[in-house]
Amino acid sequence: MTAVQPETSVSVPPASLGLTFKQAVGRRRSTRYYKAWQPVEREKIQKILEAARLQSCHGNAVQVRKAVVVHREKTDPDTFAELVDALYNQPQAAQAPVHIYWTIDLSGWDHLRDNLTELIDAGALTSSYGWSEQFIDEIVLKTPDFNVMAGERRFAEWLSAIETGLAMGSALLAAQDEGLGTQLLTGKRQKIADLLGVPDTATVAQIQLLGYSAEGTEAGGQRPRPDFEDLYFDGQWGTPLPRDPAVVAELIEAGMIQEPAPLPYRRREVRALAAMLGLPD
């Protein structure tokens, strides 16, 4: 169900919040309620994609991670409706003014040699570490751990997914820094590929929604996560890495660790959002 535009005038969107890194991490939420009537500025979309483009990538093979940007207002309504259907008709997909369809394009590894020689020319890969065009041709391109296309396809797909995930992570934080709501969704990948003309070399990964959030900044509080000691180990698997309370206090002060969900007002906020957007309570 699509959102109904309110009769009141829309205020001018805020400029970039200029958050610190820790604040951007701490404030990030998966936004599920968007102001469908408020468009996203083109320059903000570009900044988000620039952040993704600059993220680290194995062999500098940035061509592996590509994306299609879809603006609801610029897309044929029937096509956009089909895309929303491919996203399992999740209400936020219909609300968000912009979708970014992230893909993993294995043909990007075809540029590995050129990308590595560019790094040599840029002074990032140096002869003091043994780098040369001869080393690239005789060692790197023939070694699966360096050139993933020289080994099992499964490893190439796995590493490519990691590299694309790094770009998406930067895009999420950049969206937060620009004062936007954002979320990653899954969908019917083949249907999306057909609708957007994605080539056979590429696989649709995750879909990033962009828009101005209809929720409050806190969105009910920071999402739950497993305990630190259950995730990270000290020297050997299963030995918990101690969590320093002083560091936790520092991160709370910096805005990275925030009040956990659900905050006391959350149920009232969700009911109000449902009423505003014409959704079931």
Side-chain angles (χ1 to χ4, degrees):
M1 184 180 298
T2 56
V4 178
Q5 180 174 346
E7 295 181 359
T8 55
S9 61
V10 178
S11 60
V12 176
S16 173
L17 298 180
L19 302 175
T20 67
F21 173 75
K22 293 184 178 66
Q23 288 171 333
V25 171
R27 293 190 185 186
R28 189 212 60 78
R29 306 283 191 272
S30 289
T31 302
R32 292 180 172 86
Y33 299 90
Y34 293 88
K35 297 177 180 177
W37 56 89
Q38 187 169 357
V40 176
E41 299 86 341
R42 184 186 182 282
E43 58 268 24
K44 291 196 173 188
I45 299 170
Q46 180 177 338
K47 290 174 185 177
I48 290 165
L49 296 175
E50 296 278 9
R53 174 176 165 269
L54 292 174
Q55 180 55 271
S56 172
C57 189
H58 178 89
N60 206 33
V62 180
Q63 299 94 331
V64 169
R65 50 202 192 196
K66 296 175 182 174
V68 179
V69 179
V70 172
H71 297 258
R72 186 186 59 224
E73 298 304 321
K74 297 179 181 179
T75 304
D76 173 74
D78 291 338
T79 301
F80 190 79
E82 286 294 313
L83 287 169
V84 172
D85 178 75
L87 297 175
Y88 297 100
N89 285 306
Q90 296 178 74
Q92 61 267 44
Q95 296 164 17
V98 176
H99 298 182
I100 301 177
Y101 291 84
W102 289 99
T103 70
I104 302 166
D105 188 354
L106 290 182
S107 71
W109 295 109
D110 296 344
H111 305 277
L112 182 61
R113 187 187 190 281
D114 291 340
N115 291 338
L116 290 174
T117 56
E118 278 187 340
L119 291 179
I120 291 176
D121 293 340
L125 299 179
T126 63
S127 58
S128 61
Y129 275 52
W131 283 95
S132 66
E133 291 196 33
Q134 182 180 0
F135 176 71
I136 292 172
D137 291 333
E138 296 180 1
I139 304 297
V140 172
L141 296 182
K142 297 178 181 180
T143 305
D145 286 334
F146 290 108
N147 178 12
V148 298
M149 299 307 288
E152 295 182 7
R153 182 179 176 89
R154 180 181 177 185
F155 176 69
E157 293 172 343
W158 171 74
L159 184 60
S160 300
I162 290 175
E163 303 299 347
T164 304
L166 287 171
M168 290 189 293
S170 286
L172 290 173
L173 294 181
Q176 181 66 48
D177 188 54
E178 290 297 320
L180 296 171
T182 192
Q183 181 196 11
L184 293 179
L185 292 182
T186 190
K188 302 173 186 176
R189 291 174 174 80
Q190 189 56 55
K191 179 174 182 178
I192 293 169
D194 292 341
L195 286 167
L196 300 180
V198 176
D200 292 340
T201 58
T203 301
V204 177
Q206 295 285 80
I207 297 85
Q208 182 178 1
L209 304 183
L210 284 179
Y212 283 94
S213 177
E215 304 178 67
T217 303
E218 294 171 320
Q222 204 163 54
R223 308 314 192 215
R225 293 291 186 268
D227 289 342
F228 183 90
E229 294 86 353
D230 291 338
L231 297 173
Y232 309 117
F233 308 123
D234 192 2
Q236 203 169 44
W237 188 278
T239 303
L241 184 69
R243 194 185 196 201
D244 187 341
V247 174
V248 172
E250 179 184 336
L251 294 178
I252 291 173
E253 179 68 22
M256 184 170 171
I257 297 177
Q258 301 184 358
E259 287 293 321
L263 294 178
Y265 67 84
R266 181 58 173 173
R267 292 190 183 277
R268 297 193 302 275
E269 181 184 33
V270 171
R271 285 197 296 268
L273 287 165
M276 179 179 72
L277 298 172
L279 299 170
D281 187 349

